[in-house]
Amino acid sequence: MALLIGTDDGVVRSAAGTLDETERVLGADDALRVRIFDGIAFAATRSGLYRSTDGDSWTDLGVPREEVFSVVTSPDSERLYAGTHPAHLYVSTDDGATWRELDGFLELPSRDEWHTPRHRNEAHLRSLGVHPDAPDRLVAGVEVGGVHVSEDRGETWTERRDGLHDDVHHVLVVGPDDYVAACGDGCYRTHDAGRSWTRLDTDVDQRYFRETIVADGRLYAAAASGAPPNWEGSRGADAALFESTDGGDSFGNVPYPGAPTEVVLAWTVRDGRVLAGTNEGRLLAREVDGWTTLGTISTRIRSLATLD
């Protein structure tokens, strides 16, 4: 069971699940999202979308736009989706041999608002998700642009951004109608496929969230007091890690190695343990009595995935 680690310099593989012995298996610019579908690994990077069946050798799938920020497959594995910068959406029905742009995504009414100076006055399609119980429903999170939902496998779209901060970093699809959105100003949850949102972080000081995970009914999240440019200032990241034992309706702040200067950016589950990766390259594990350090690497951990 290999651990795949997305970093600023590509993908690192650890067969043991620690950082004592690692091997760089993919050289790429910013491995933003590493995901596993049906035992196949995908790495969405600023230099393309890559696929691997063993975690060692990788193939560039030739998405029409170079900067790929998100990837997901349909539950039947017949459709592969890729989200890019600028915010465009592509689908392949032949294992990545050819791609078609889903033009309906370009027709969302708010699209002209999807831009920010810090992203070259453009936006990323930062997150894609599908749940097996709603196989035709595709969920997209845009940074900056909100959450949008398609009921017909990406052909047409509905905006689900009301009541939600529009700087969306990650949408965790917990159930067919149950999503958690980690945003640049808040962490939000919906139980009706985005028609309404509830803010979860009302009782904490930190507001900048990057990603969440649910494991054994517990929601894990982490946040900083501001965006990455502020993490090196006099106040630092002022980061915190949160766990919820009631499924996400409330947060509890828990201590972890590296706090408050290191920010957790990535999560996965390996051998029944929740693992977390920080912006300083620290790999954490949730043990029975709390969080512990498994090791460090010399670059930021952007994403984590477990390959059986």
Side-chain angles (χ1 to χ4, degrees), residues 18-62:
T18 67
L19 299 185
D20 296 331
E21 295 184 11
T22 61
E23 177 186 6
R24 188 165 304 283
V25 291
L26 174 64
D29 295 333
D30 291 349
L32 301 159
R33 194 78 71 198
V34 180
R35 302 191 69 180
I36 313 297
F37 304 107
D38 291 331
I40 299 174
F42 295 86
T45 81
R46 288 186 187 269
S47 52
L49 176 64
Y50 299 85
R51 178 179 59 205
S52 175
T53 58
D54 58 9
D56 290 321
S57 58
W58 296 78
T59 300
D60 187 343
L61 296 181

Side-chain angles (χ1 to χ4, degrees), residues 28 50 110 118 169 183 189 200 206 263 278 282 287:
Y50 299 85
S110 65
R118 68 180 182 274
H169 298 144
C183 302
R189 189 156 193 170
L200 302 180
Q206 294 78 7
V263 186
T278 78
R282 186 190 301 263
E287 309 290 5

Side-chain angles (χ1 to χ4, degrees), residues 120-198:
R120 291 164 275 169
N121 287 315
E122 296 172 319
H124 322 304
L125 206 178
R126 187 69 180 258
S127 181
L128 287 168
V130 180
H131 194 274
D133 293 339
D136 293 336
R137 179 181 295 164
L138 186 61
V139 184
V142 178
E143 180 191 11
V144 172
V147 171
H148 311 279
V149 174
S150 170
E151 301 288 355
D152 54 8
R153 302 189 297 177
E155 301 296 338
T156 61
W157 290 83
T158 302
E159 298 192 346
R160 300 288 168 83
R161 63 201 296 260
D162 291 346
L164 174 77
H165 192 263
D166 60 0
D167 186 11
V168 178
H169 298 144
H170 179 251
V171 182
L172 176 68
V173 178
V174 183
D177 301 310
D178 184 6
Y179 320 143
V180 180
C183 302
D185 187 3
C187 187
Y188 301 78
R189 189 156 193 170
T190 178
H191 296 288
D192 56 11
R195 294 175 179 85
S196 63
W197 294 91
T198 300

Side-chain angles (χ1 to χ4, degrees), residues 269-284:
V269 176
R270 185 180 189 275
D271 292 333
R273 292 190 301 177
V274 176
L275 304 184
T278 78
N279 65 312
E280 296 294 334
R282 186 190 301 263
L283 182 65
L284 302 167

Side-chain angles (χ1 to χ4, degrees), residues 59-166:
T59 300
D60 187 343
L61 296 181
V63 175
R65 294 181 185 271
E66 182 178 31
E67 295 184 63
V68 181
F69 274 63
S70 54
V71 60
V72 74
T73 66
S74 59
D76 59 11
S77 300
E78 292 184 359
R79 296 167 68 89
L80 174 64
Y81 300 93
T84 69
H85 175 100
H88 292 255
L89 176 61
Y90 298 88
V91 63
S92 175
T93 57
D94 53 12
D95 293 326
T98 61
W99 294 89
R100 174 174 66 91
E101 182 163 12
L102 291 165
D103 294 330
F105 192 70
L106 305 178
E107 298 171 1
L108 282 160
S110 65
R111 188 175 179 86
D112 288 343
E113 304 172 25
W114 301 358
H115 56 81
T116 179
R118 68 180 182 274
H119 298 317
R120 291 164 275 169
N121 287 315
E122 296 172 319
H124 322 304
L125 206 178
R126 187 69 180 258
S127 181
L128 287 168
V130 180
H131 194 274
D133 293 339
D136 293 336
R137 179 181 295 164
L138 186 61
V139 184
V142 178
E143 180 191 11
V144 172
V147 171
H148 311 279
V149 174
S150 170
E151 301 288 355
D152 54 8
R153 302 189 297 177
E155 301 296 338
T156 61
W157 290 83
T158 302
E159 298 192 346
R160 300 288 168 83
R161 63 201 296 260
D162 291 346
L164 174 77
H165 192 263
D166 60 0

